[in-house]
Each structure stands twice: as structure tokens, then as C-alpha cells.
Amino acid sequence: MRSTKNLVLLLVIFSCSISCDPCLNANCSENFYFKILDKTTKQDLVFGPASIYERDSMILRPCADPVLISNTCGYFSFVNVYNNNLYASPDYTLDTVYLRLKSTDIDTLIIDYEYIDSRCCKVQGFGKIRGINFNGTTTLKNGNSYIFEK
């Protein structure tokens, strides 16, 4: 009976040590919100009446490989939506990533980070975004969202 109690206690301590670790699944770079607008009309190309992109097909990747599932490219992050704003949560602090809007449309993002000391992000620190360059153009922000014009 005593060994059963000890085993249960050990399991509780072990599971808490895994699930209570604040650094477990820590994201070491800032999320960013963005909109994709037509350069001329300023219409939203994802949510507006002139939409040509579907949010479900968008991903952020560390390489420009157009194949959705590819062993050559590695990690990717799906693009999510919050209040009609797209956002991405990269789990890496690469300065160059690729936004795949669809298989024939891949854009280059150069992200400028400021690295802040972080207990969970020991290699470089936490990457706070200072700015994003979209296809060679510095982007502006409207509120919390970067504006990518195509």
C-alpha cells in the first residue's frame, strides 16, 4: 500500500515538473499581425470583396520551397486569424522567412529583431520585432498590424 502511495506521489511530481515548466513550448520570437492589401486600391486581399488569397493556404517558412510538405524546408507555421487580422507565430528567430500565400505566390520577409535576455530563450534571447521588410520594401504599421502591399 505504501509503495502505491509513493508511486502516485512520484507520478504527480513528475507530471507537474513537466507541465509546470514555464519554458516548455516557449516561443522565442514575437508574434506579428499583418494585412495583405492591394497596392493600388488598398483593398484587403484576404478578407475583402477583392480577396484572392485564402488564409487556410498561407504558411510561414524558413525556405522558399513551394511544396507545402517538404523535408528540405523544415519547420513551418500556419498563419492564423484574430479580428480580421492575420498573425504568425514563428518558433524561430531567423531574420529571413518566406510567406507562402499559395503555391505560385511566395513572398520574402526580412524581420529585424531586438534580442532581449530571457530565461527561456537562452541562445539569442527573446526576439522582439523592430520592423519587417516585405519583398524589399519597408512595411508600415497600422495599429498593431504590418501592412504588406502586393
Side-chain angles (χ1 to χ4, degrees):
M1 181 73 161
R2 183 177 176 151
S3 65
T4 304
K5 285 182 182 179
N6 288 341
L7 181 60
V8 169
L9 182 60
L10 262 173
L11 286 173
V12 168
I13 291 170
F14 178 72
S15 66
C16 186
S17 69
I18 291 174
S19 63
C20 297
D21 181 1
C23 293
L24 190 66
N25 298 321
N27 190 348
C28 289
S29 62
E30 183 176 30
N31 297 342
F32 64 91
Y33 293 85
F34 63 99
K35 289 184 177 282
I36 302 172
L37 304 181
D38 182 277
K39 191 178 285 191
T40 306
T41 67
K42 307 300 184 210
Q43 292 285 321
D44 191 316
L45 297 177
V46 179
F47 299 109
S51 64
I52 58 172
Y53 301 114
E54 293 187 30
R55 196 256 334 145
D56 293 340
S57 66
M58 296 180 196
I59 58 173
L60 195 65
R61 309 181 73 165
C63 72
D65 189 342
V67 179
L68 184 58
I69 304 299
S70 167
N71 291 332
T72 62
C73 197
Y75 174 81
F76 65 90
S77 171
F78 286 102
V79 172
N80 299 294
V81 177
Y82 179 75
N83 286 342
N84 282 348
N85 283 297
L86 301 164
Y87 75 92
S89 303
D91 282 341
Y92 40 79
T93 52
L94 298 174
D95 63 354
T96 303
V97 293
Y98 300 89
L99 178 61
R100 179 190 181 274
L101 300 174
K102 49 186 171 181
S103 64
T104 57
D105 196 344
I106 299 173
D107 297 295
T108 304
L109 304 178
I110 298 176
I111 303 173
D112 180 24
Y113 290 104
E114 171 186 0
Y115 294 103
I116 301 166
D117 287 340
S118 169
R119 184 172 74 92
C120 296
C121 306
K122 296 184 189 303
V123 176
Q124 291 178 296
F126 179 80
K128 181 167 176 44
I129 298 173
R130 289 190 287 215
I132 298 177
N133 183 300
F134 179 75
N135 292 334
T137 304
T138 301
T139 59
L140 299 176
K141 277 181 99 172
N142 183 0
N144 289 332
S145 294
Y146 288 93
I147 305 299
F148 299 161
E149 292 184 338
K150 292 191 63 80

